[in-house]
Amino acid sequence: MKSTINTIENFRNQIPQEAWTLNDVFCANGCKLYIVGGYIRDYILGIKTTDIDICGTATPHQLEQMLSDTEFKFTVINKKLGAYKVYKTGSKIEFEYTTLRKEKYEKGHSPSEVDFVTDVVVDAQRRDFTVNAIYYDLTNENLIDPCNGCQDCIDRVLKPVNAQVFDSDGLRILRLLRVAYTKKLRIPDEVFNNAHLRTYLLHDIAHERIAQEIRKISEFQKKRTITEDRRVVKYGNERIDLCKKNKDDIFSALDLLDAIMALGIVDYIFPKLAATIDMDKFYSAYLTPIVSYQFFEFQFPLALAYFTCKTLEELNYELSSAFFEELLGADGLMFHKTRVKELTMILDGLLTLRKMRDESFYINYVQLYFDVFPDLMNCAEELNAYRYNPKLERVDTTNRLMQANNIPRCMEELAINGYDIIERWPFLPTKLISSMLECAMIMATKDRCNEKEYLLNELEKFIVREEV
């Protein structure tokens, strides 16, 4: 064992009472219980988290037996792996429990053999990264750190627990990038190179699981919060302020994008794209963007899709809304249909803005993308944070002038609605109402007059003229 840290100040006070109560149940049945991984790692890094993983020496049979007459309940996740959800009746806190084990892999990302053990040092070798292989003994109230993960947390560096980590599960290559980004850790060159040599292992991973790893970044961005209080760790005789050490030496969202490109992972994220174009040319055409970090920090999957499309434009690849939906939907990042529609509009709007030449199109641009206009403008501003873009300024000015002069930017701002048309022309077929409203929208925009009587009179002329 390389190192053991006996003290992380105040960590004991962060552990919920439910964990101590569950430990009492384990002790009464002659079993050991540990907190493991992320909860300890995030505490050291100064990141607030509520997810608590636990592990112990109780086998699946023992766990089910010992909890049967207690206030704790369980749900089986994978009995072969000794994985369970454990929760206390009436409590919102839920633990994910696994029996200490060692694994053997022959082919694929699932272990071919699983043996339950009682030693955390053995269990640590089947985990992915050293920062996730830190254990807190709830009985003796001390940390056990067989892979030197605490020091790696202090140094903000992400290392695998052993050289075979990626061989056992190719998805850990994506997890390496996700953890480095979400926890702001640095990936050593030798670790990155080791991952690069094994990206071919992603070929056997289901596309859904790959897309899920990328989407998890988006989920993280929505809920991320960092505690404001400083975390001081006592490591041996040294007290280290984690908020000061290596503050700028972190793996940013821009690094994440570059890493995905450098590793050639786009092939696996967008398999349909990889099957239709020369990916070697694609990676050669990609250039590290000079943009605001904010664009990546809050919309990374969108940023990935945007710079994929921007690179394709450099190769004169024809893009369309249908193609954007492929990237964001079932053939790519696999977002829900509603989210795909929203992101497709933003992506289309960002790329359209780059190509706009006709001055008269700005009003139509505002109307076309009004449903996502605030998000679209935020993304556009962040993309252009380091350079002046007159088109962006013109769109913003046009939007303000339309609002000030009562020019409708969407159907909701139009002075008439479907009920007004039915009341005026009750004989009109219902299927024509939407067409009439579109005509009114064009009239209000063209004539700069968004008044009810004026629009109804103009529609009257249109009906007579077209013999509707």
Side-chain angles (χ1 to χ4, degrees):
M1 186 179 297
K2 293 184 178 180
S3 65
T4 301
I5 296 182
N6 292 318
T7 304
I8 290 187
E9 296 177 3
N10 298 324
F11 178 69
R12 188 189 189 284
N13 298 332
Q14 306 299 315
I15 300 172
Q17 182 57 45
E18 288 86 345
W20 298 109
T21 305
L22 182 60
N23 184 59
D24 291 340
V25 176
F26 269 65
C27 289
N29 287 272
C31 295
K32 294 281 291 183
L33 184 64
Y34 308 86
I35 293 175
V36 64
Y39 194 70
I40 305 170
R41 173 203 65 212
D42 288 354
Y43 179 84
I44 299 175
L45 294 175
I47 300 172
K48 186 177 181 180
T49 184
T50 56
D51 296 332
I52 306 178
D53 291 337
I54 56 177
C55 61
T57 58
T59 64
H61 177 72
Q62 288 175 312
L63 182 75
E64 294 177 10
Q65 287 291 107
M66 72 170 66
L67 297 183
S68 60
D69 294 326
T70 71
E71 54 192 338
F72 287 96
K73 307 297 179 183
F74 63 84
T75 303
V76 178
I77 298 175
N78 188 322
K79 198 165 187 174
K80 177 185 175 182
L81 300 179
Y84 289 77
K85 289 284 187 184
V86 178
Y87 54 94
K88 185 179 179 182
T89 304
S91 173
K92 294 181 180 180
I93 294 176
E94 187 175 74
F95 305 103
E96 186 163 318
Y97 173 85
T98 55
T99 305
L100 299 177
R101 66 181 190 264
K102 63 179 181 179
E103 300 171 341
K104 181 178 179 181
Y105 290 81
E106 291 182 357
K107 187 177 181 181
H109 56 266
S110 297
S112 55
E113 293 183 21
V114 174
D115 294 315
F116 296 129
V117 298
T118 58
D119 189 348
V120 294
V121 177
V122 177
D123 181 78
Q125 291 305 305
R126 60 98 182 168
R127 296 186 179 272
D128 49 12
F129 309 115
T130 60
V131 297
N132 292 336
I134 310 170
Y135 301 77
Y136 185 84
D137 185 332
L138 285 162
T139 301
N140 296 319
E141 299 187 21
N142 69 291
L143 284 177
I144 303 173
D145 184 18
C147 299
N148 209 30
C150 287
Q151 184 63 55
D152 288 340
C153 283
I154 293 170
D155 293 337
R156 303 194 80 88
V157 63
L158 188 60
K159 300 177 183 177
V161 296
N162 56 54
Q164 290 75 45
V165 160
F166 302 124
D167 294 324
S168 59
D169 186 357
L171 197 64
R172 284 176 170 175
I173 296 170
L174 281 179
R175 204 166 293 143
L176 172 78
L177 303 182
R178 177 170 61 83
V179 173
Y181 169 61
T182 58
K183 305 306 175 184
K184 299 304 176 190
L185 304 175
R186 177 176 56 84
I187 302 176
D189 290 343
E190 63 273 16
V191 176
F192 188 86
N193 293 336
N194 186 24
H196 194 187
L197 292 173
R198 288 163 174 77
T199 52
Y200 68 90
L201 294 170
L202 289 169
H203 181 75
D204 297 324
I205 304 294
H207 173 233
E208 183 177 359
R209 296 186 69 208
I210 293 174
Q212 185 180 43
E213 281 295 317
I214 301 298
R215 291 199 310 276
K216 282 181 180 179
I217 296 171
S218 182
E219 293 167 4
F220 153 78
Q221 290 169 327
K222 290 179 182 177
K223 66 181 181 180
R224 183 183 58 193
T225 178
I226 298 178
T227 52
E228 295 181 359
D229 59 315
R230 293 193 178 279
R231 296 296 187 183
V232 181
V233 175
K234 183 178 180 182
Y235 191 90
N237 295 320
E238 184 181 9
R239 292 169 63 87
I240 301 175
D241 187 336
L242 295 175
C243 295
K244 292 181 179 179
K245 188 173 179 65
N246 294 336
K247 185 176 180 181
D248 299 319
D249 189 15
I250 58 176
F251 191 77
S252 70
L254 183 57
D255 294 325
L256 175 59
L257 179 67
D258 283 346
I260 286 174
M261 295 297 181
L263 291 172
I265 295 177
V266 173
D267 295 49
Y268 305 100
I269 299 174
F270 305 124
K272 191 171 180 179
L273 172 65
T276 57
I277 70 168
D278 186 334
M279 292 304 292
D280 289 336
K281 290 183 178 179
F282 172 85
Y283 291 121
S284 297
Y286 169 77
L287 296 174
T288 299
I290 303 175
V291 296
S292 166
Y293 277 88
Q294 286 183 308
F295 182 57
F296 294 93
E297 293 296 339
F298 299 103
Q299 291 280 5
F300 180 78
L302 177 63
L304 174 61
Y306 174 80
F307 286 105
T308 295
C309 291
K310 189 171 180 290
T311 303
L312 290 171
E313 282 188 335
E314 297 295 325
L315 298 172
N316 298 316
Y317 193 86
E318 288 293 328
L319 303 179
S320 65
S321 294
F323 176 74
F324 302 151
E325 290 179 359
E326 287 181 2
L327 290 184
L328 298 163
D331 294 318
L333 296 171
M334 302 183 73
F335 280 103
H336 185 273
K337 289 182 179 180
T338 303
R339 185 64 172 152
V340 168
K341 182 179 179 182
E342 176 186 334
L343 291 177
T344 294
M345 288 188 69
I346 295 174
L347 185 57
D348 191 31
L350 291 173
L351 292 165
T352 299
L353 183 63
R354 295 178 63 240
K355 298 178 289 186
M356 281 171 57
R357 297 286 186 272
D358 188 351
E359 292 292 316
S360 65
F361 186 66
Y362 285 95
I363 289 178
N364 292 335
Y365 184 89
V366 173
Q367 293 173 336
L368 184 61
Y369 300 109
F370 188 76
D371 286 346
V372 295
F373 196 76
D375 288 337
L376 173 58
M377 287 297 97
N378 286 337
C379 289
E381 287 170 5
E382 290 157 8
L383 275 172
N384 293 274
Y386 298 129
R387 59 183 180 274
Y388 173 67
N389 187 334
K391 296 177 183 178
L392 179 59
E393 183 179 11
R394 181 63 183 274
V395 170
D396 184 57
T397 301
T398 299
N399 175 58
R400 295 176 186 276
L401 288 173
M402 290 175 71
Q403 187 175 21
N405 292 287
N406 194 29
I407 300 173
R409 298 169 296 172
C410 61
M411 283 295 179
E412 286 73 15
E413 293 182 352
L414 191 64
I416 64 173
N417 56 41
Y419 293 108
D420 296 320
I421 293 175
I422 293 173
E423 183 179 355
R424 185 71 170 262
W425 301 285
F427 60 85
L428 195 68
T430 305
K431 63 181 181 180
L432 293 180
I433 292 177
S434 59
S435 298
M436 296 292 286
L437 289 173
E438 289 173 6
C439 287
M441 189 78 170
I442 295 172
M443 293 171 181
T445 302
K446 181 181 178 182
D447 300 337
R448 304 293 193 268
C449 184
N450 185 28
E451 296 179 1
K452 181 176 179 179
E453 285 306 314
Y454 173 80
L455 292 175
L456 290 175
N457 289 336
E458 289 301 303
L459 285 176
E460 181 78 54
K461 298 176 186 178
F462 173 78
I463 290 173
V464 172
R465 184 171 63 250
E466 299 297 327
E467 298 181 350
V468 175

